[in-house]
Amino acid sequence: MRGEMEYVTAVSDMTDAIHNVLHTAIKTVYPKYYPREVVDFFCRHHSREHISEGILSGNMGVLTDGNEIVGVGCIHQNHITGVYVLPRYQRKGCGTRIMDVLEAEIGKLYGVSVLDASLAAVCMYENRGYKTVGHGICELENDVKLVYEIMEKKLH
């Protein structure tokens, strides 16, 4: 980590860099937990158009190290809809930094934070005090099922 890490609201000229963070993280981490169909699903879901919508909502932010975008976070109301960090920056506190900002933002209006956790991230969220309150299943092609944890954390 070169410079001072800073979390800022995403703007439209960051679309390509955000796309790179999401797709690099998904293609590197998810194959360890999920079949190819799930990896492909997430890459399709996180299209440039979807990223642009997130930026326009004002609810997407990026963690920067100098001029490089190394992580992305997004919320919708009290739902954390995504936290992604470039693989070479993982396990260095970047996800924690993003989560601190998102939870603080949610805590201004809500008492509970909710998220859908990938298998890759469940332990990290449990370590932050999240509890599993349900399981989600999404049917994909080739009879593949995307399974994830629905987790909550009381903020106050």
Side-chain angles (χ1 to χ4, degrees):
M1 291 186 270
R2 295 178 298 281
E4 179 63 28
M5 292 272 180
E6 186 180 11
Y7 190 84
V8 297
T9 302
V11 294
S12 59
D13 68 356
M14 296 175 177
T15 301
D16 287 341
I18 292 169
H19 185 270
N20 177 61
V21 170
L22 270 54
H23 284 247
T24 301
I26 290 165
K27 290 174 183 173
T28 304
V29 177
Y30 283 23
K32 299 172 187 167
Y33 298 87
Y34 293 114
R36 179 188 49 78
E37 289 86 353
V38 172
V39 176
D40 293 347
F41 167 81
F42 277 104
C43 286
R44 281 193 309 272
H45 176 71
H46 292 295
S47 64
R48 282 180 172 77
E49 295 75 23
H50 182 78
I51 293 165
S52 293
E53 290 169 13
I55 292 170
L56 288 173
S57 76
N59 295 325
M60 182 179 284
V62 297
L63 185 66
T64 60
D65 181 15
N67 291 329
E68 184 179 15
I69 293 173
V70 301
V72 179
C74 196
I75 60 174
H76 177 72
Q77 296 171 337
N78 72 326
H79 196 140
I80 295 174
T81 57
V83 175
Y84 291 91
V85 175
L86 284 174
R88 72 180 181 277
Y89 282 86
Q90 292 174 5
R91 299 190 183 353
K92 295 180 173 18
C94 295
T96 297
R97 181 89 179 268
I98 294 169
M99 289 294 295
D100 289 347
V101 172
L102 299 180
E103 288 174 358
E105 196 59 35
I106 290 170
K108 292 175 184 176
L109 297 174
Y110 303 93
V112 175
S113 174
V114 180
L115 54 81
D116 299 336
S118 68
L119 298 177
V122 170
C123 289
M124 178 190 78
Y125 294 131
E126 284 177 344
N127 290 337
R128 289 189 65 85
Y130 283 81
K131 304 278 186 242
T132 299
V133 297
H135 303 280
I137 298 176
C138 183
E139 304 272 344
L140 303 177
E141 67 269 16
N142 301 328
D143 288 329
V144 170
K145 292 174 179 53
L146 163 58
V147 179
Y148 56 93
E149 306 279 309
I150 302 165
M151 302 182 84
E152 288 185 358
K153 176 182 176 180
K154 290 186 176 40
L155 298 176
H156 304 292

